[in-house]
Structure formats: structure tokens, C-alpha cells
Amino acid sequence: MQRRVTGLTAAVAVLGMAGVLAGCGGPGDSGDVTLKLVAADYGDSTANSSKKYWAKVVEGFEKDNPGIDVEVTVHSWNDVDREVKEMVKKGEAPDLAQIGAYADYAAQDKLYEADELLSIATQADFMTPLARAGEVHRIQYGMPFASSTRLLFYNTKLFKDAHLTPPRTWGELQSAAKALKARGVKIPYALPLGPEEAPAETLMWMLSGGGGYTDEVGSYDIDSKQNAKTFAWLRDELVGKGLTGPTPPAKMNRAEAFAAFSRGDVGMLNGHPTLMKMAAKKGVKFGMVPAPGVNGKAQATMGVADWMMAFKQNGHRKEAGKFLDYVYSEKNVLDFSNEYDILPVTNSASEAMAKDRGHTELGKFLKELPTSQLYPVGKTSWAQVSASIKQNIGRTVDKNGNPSSILGQIQNKAATAENAE
């Protein structure tokens, strides 16, 4: 059987077949069914493109399930969300999409519920924080596909030269940053609050200060007292004391911060597993510890997830469910996680990885996942709120910034967006 995992060059062909496929294998049809999956590429070269991963998965599934074929189109992360959006807009939705967000499609009633697709065992195997983040109004539509957490990275050579130990509290982090600055380190602590990924650095600091984007019932709580105190501390005790380098945090993007760390110019910063490879390639030795909190380790760290979803349009619920049960088998989840240094999204695969890699660097991220908190991605308003954070949060730590006022402005926009749902 010819493999059908394609790249961008096959997108037109896939779209052109949409009308034929929509009429093939529909509800009650005993004929063959072809499922269309659009997926993101997690590789950084042709050698490790996600096309190779999906080719192997599809081959195994089709061998066990004659009558169900799967066509996979892989796009870069720069393009995949837009490609799916355009397909849906044209009335040519894929059966499955593995992309960055699901809530808008769920709100438009375009998606199957997870329990309409998955076996009980498969759905119950998702890690709890990730499964909950896939819910809209307590119904799961988004199925987590890949996950990650954050840790505090520190340059071990710079720390050793300054006779420092990894910080456990905000006070210790500030003291370490002062010592690094005194020794001429360009960026003692990198604080990327620029538009590239400001919501991530923002949430990490909110959580370490006992706050977050939402309260215990899931309502936006961006301008809480805890969050205001957190950004006032950053303004006065880190940025105000010249401990975040020459680039203003509002103009510092994550990519720039990671590159600077990999050059040896940064003492500390929050990072995810990708930074391990970047630093190692440049020969920078590093250590990683849980994010410091006000008086000790933060109670929670930030988690992130990418999502799988199934569209109703073509009516292939049963077939899509079979494929997803196969995709989320322990072996396939582990294969994907190990290939791309990404955390598994199921309990079974996480337990297997912990036994095999629990004492490795990736295992440190894995330990933080059960208590992680994710963006409120189940809210269709989140996209607007995230954009507002990217635009405004950097101003909270300016010399004359007013965290309470700026957080209040973001909160008001969030409430307006939420009420407009």
C-alpha cells in the first residue's frame, strides 16, 4: 500500500479530493473510508520531519484496519493553523487536525466530543491537567497531543565562578543576579516579555507569585492582588536594579533570550526542553531547577499542550475514533515523545518514560507536569486576551510602569471578550 503522508506540496491535491472523500464512507456506508489528517511538523530538518513519524503510525494502523486509509498532510507550525482555518472556511474540513488551538471550532459546533470518539480506556489515560485544558463548558473536545513544562535554567559555569547555588526563592534569585552582574554577566536574568511569547513568561511569574490567569472557578483574574505584587516586584527588584540586561523586557523575545543563553551571555532564564539541545550544541553547560517562588519552590509551573481534534463534517466518527485509539497507544505516544524531546500526554506513557528516563534531564520536566497549569485555552476569548498580554504586559515593568493599572486594562479587555462569547 502506498504511503500517503505528504508535505505542503500535496495540500492542493488533498483539498481537491475533499468532495469525493466527503461522500465516501459516510454514516452507514460499508465501503472503504479515507481519513484526512492535517498535522504540525515538530522536526527541525528533513531527517526528523513529523512526516516520518506519521508514515510509521499510518502503516501500522492500516495493516490492522483494512478498509480505513489515512492521508496525512504535514505543515510547519508557521502555516498549519492557518491551513486548517482555510479548509474549514471553504467547507473542506479535514477529519482530524493536530494544531495549536481547538476552542473556536468547538464553539462553532464543528467538533466531535472526545467521548464520542475514544474508548473509555484511552480517554481516561490522558493526564488530568491536560484533559481539563481540553474542555469547553466541562466537555472535552481538545485531545492533548504533545506537552511541555518549564524550568529555571542556569549557566553552571557562571554560577560556579560566582560561588552560587541554584535559587529556590525570589530573594535568592535576585541575590544571584546581583552577583552575576557584579562579575560582568551581560544578562543576569533574561525576562522575555516581548510579543513573541509574553503570555508564557507572564504565566510563569504569576504562578510563582501565587496567582494566575484565572481563579479557582475558571474566571479571568488577571488583575488580582497577587499578580500585581508579582509585577511590582519584577519592576522594582529585577528590572529596576539593572538585573535583566540592556534590552528592555518589553522588547526581549524568547528566541533572542534562548540564543543569548546558548552564547553564554545569560545567567538564568525560564526555559523548555528545546533549550537543552540549543545550549548543548553551543557547548554551554547548564542546570535546571523548578521555578523559585516567593518563599520557596513555586506551587505550580506552567504547562503547555498542542491539540488533536476531530471534525464532524465528513461523518467519519467511528473510523476517526479507531485511528485515535491507535495513535494514543502507549508505544506511539512514547515514540513521538522520545523523538522530539516532548513530554507524553498520557499516564501510561508518562509512567513508562519515568521508569526509563526519570533521572535524565527530560525527566525533570516530566516531574512538574502533574501539577502544571495551562493557558485557559478552552475559552474562545483566550486568543484576544493573549494578544492583549503580548501588547501590554511589558509596560508593567517599565521604570514608571503601573502593574495594577495595566493588569486592570488587560482584565477589562478579557471580561469584554468573555462576555461577547
Side-chain angles (χ1 to χ4, degrees):
M1 184 177 293
Q2 184 180 3
R3 295 276 60 80
R4 282 172 298 279
V5 179
T6 63
L8 182 59
T9 56
V12 175
V14 172
L15 291 174
M17 293 174 64
V20 176
L21 296 178
C24 176
D29 189 343
S30 60
D32 288 354
V33 167
T34 298
L35 296 175
K36 296 177 295 177
L37 165 64
V38 177
D41 196 346
Y42 288 79
D44 55 13
S45 67
T46 303
N48 70 344
S49 170
S50 293
K51 288 185 282 187
K52 293 188 175 182
Y53 169 79
W54 284 113
K56 186 177 179 180
V57 170
V58 169
E59 181 178 16
F61 175 77
E62 290 182 344
K63 182 178 179 181
D64 294 340
N65 295 273
I68 306 177
D69 295 340
V70 184
E71 291 185 347
V72 185
T73 304
V74 175
H75 294 283
S76 75
W77 271 111
N78 292 330
D79 302 322
V80 68
D81 288 275
R82 184 183 69 252
E83 291 289 339
V84 171
K85 184 177 181 179
E86 288 298 314
M87 292 174 74
V88 173
K89 185 177 180 180
K90 293 177 182 178
E92 300 169 344
D95 296 287
L96 298 160
Q98 185 272 298
I99 52 179
Y102 67 88
D104 282 348
Y105 299 123
Q108 296 166 28
D109 195 30
K110 294 183 181 296
L111 302 180
Y112 286 115
E113 299 174 16
D115 60 8
E116 295 180 295
L117 298 158
L118 305 173
S119 68
I120 294 174
T122 298
Q123 189 173 7
D125 198 25
F126 289 130
M127 298 194 76
T128 299
L130 304 178
R132 287 178 178 168
E135 295 178 351
V136 175
H137 302 308
R138 299 183 182 273
I139 297 173
Q140 186 180 359
Y141 296 94
M143 292 160 279
F145 183 76
S147 65
S148 179
T149 55
R150 300 292 194 265
L151 292 172
L152 180 75
F153 283 67
Y154 63 95
N155 184 307
T156 53
K157 182 181 185 303
L158 296 178
F159 265 61
K160 183 178 179 180
D161 291 346
H163 306 289
L164 297 171
T165 57
R168 295 167 296 178
T169 67
W170 287 3
E172 291 178 2
L173 186 148
Q174 185 203 48
S175 295
K178 286 181 176 178
L180 293 170
K181 181 182 179 182
R183 296 183 64 85
V185 175
K186 292 181 181 180
I187 308 174
Y189 179 85
L191 184 65
L193 293 177
E196 180 191 0
E197 206 191 26
E201 187 74 13
T202 297
L203 180 55
M204 284 182 273
W205 277 100
M206 284 180 171
L207 291 173
S208 71
Y213 284 133
T214 58
D215 59 22
E216 62 275 4
V217 296
S219 299
Y220 283 118
D221 197 26
I222 296 168
D223 60 347
S224 68
K225 290 183 179 179
Q226 295 98 318
N227 291 340
K229 287 181 179 179
T230 293
F231 282 90
W233 186 88
L234 287 171
R235 178 196 62 195
D236 299 337
E237 305 301 330
L238 280 188
V239 181
K241 289 185 168 27
L243 302 177
T244 55
T247 302
K251 295 183 179 179
M252 169 74 78
N253 282 320
R254 181 193 65 176
E256 179 185 348
F258 279 19
F261 185 84
S262 299
R263 292 193 302 267
D265 292 339
V266 174
M268 299 171 282
L269 81 170
N270 289 318
H272 55 64
T274 301
L275 184 55
M276 295 192 298
K277 286 186 176 181
M278 291 180 61
K281 284 182 179 179
K282 297 291 186 178
V284 172
K285 303 295 184 181
F286 59 89
M288 302 179 300
V289 293
V294 179
N295 298 309
K297 175 188 173 183
Q299 294 183 355
T301 188
M302 187 191 81
V304 295
D306 302 323
W307 303 97
M308 179 75 77
M309 62 213 69
F311 287 88
K312 294 179 179 180
Q313 180 179 316
N314 299 326
H316 296 153
R317 179 187 63 80
K318 181 179 178 182
E319 294 81 6
K322 280 188 177 182
F323 181 63
L324 290 172
D325 279 337
Y326 184 81
V327 167
Y328 284 108
S329 68
E330 180 181 316
K331 179 183 183 303
N332 285 328
V333 173
L334 273 176
D335 285 349
F336 182 83
S337 299
N338 287 326
E339 175 65 30
Y340 299 108
D341 275 342
I342 288 175
L343 302 184
V345 297
T346 61
N347 291 301
S348 59
S350 296
E351 290 167 5
M353 178 179 279
K355 290 179 182 178
D356 183 45
R357 306 180 70 177
H359 299 294
T360 66
E361 300 290 24
L362 191 61
K364 294 179 181 179
F365 290 92
L366 187 62
K367 290 178 182 177
E368 299 299 310
L369 190 57
T371 58
S372 64
Q373 292 190 25
L374 285 74
Y375 296 143
V377 291
K379 296 177 177 291
T380 57
S381 58
W382 171 243
Q384 297 179 56
V385 176
S386 177
S388 180
I389 293 166
K390 290 178 180 181
Q391 182 180 356
N392 297 295
I393 198 67
R395 295 190 292 116
T396 62
V397 297
D398 287 344
K399 182 178 180 180
N400 297 315
N402 186 327
S404 294
S405 175
I406 295 167
L407 292 172
Q409 293 170 25
I410 299 173
Q411 173 70 21
N412 290 337
K413 291 182 180 180
T416 300
E418 185 79 350
N419 292 333
E421 286 190 15

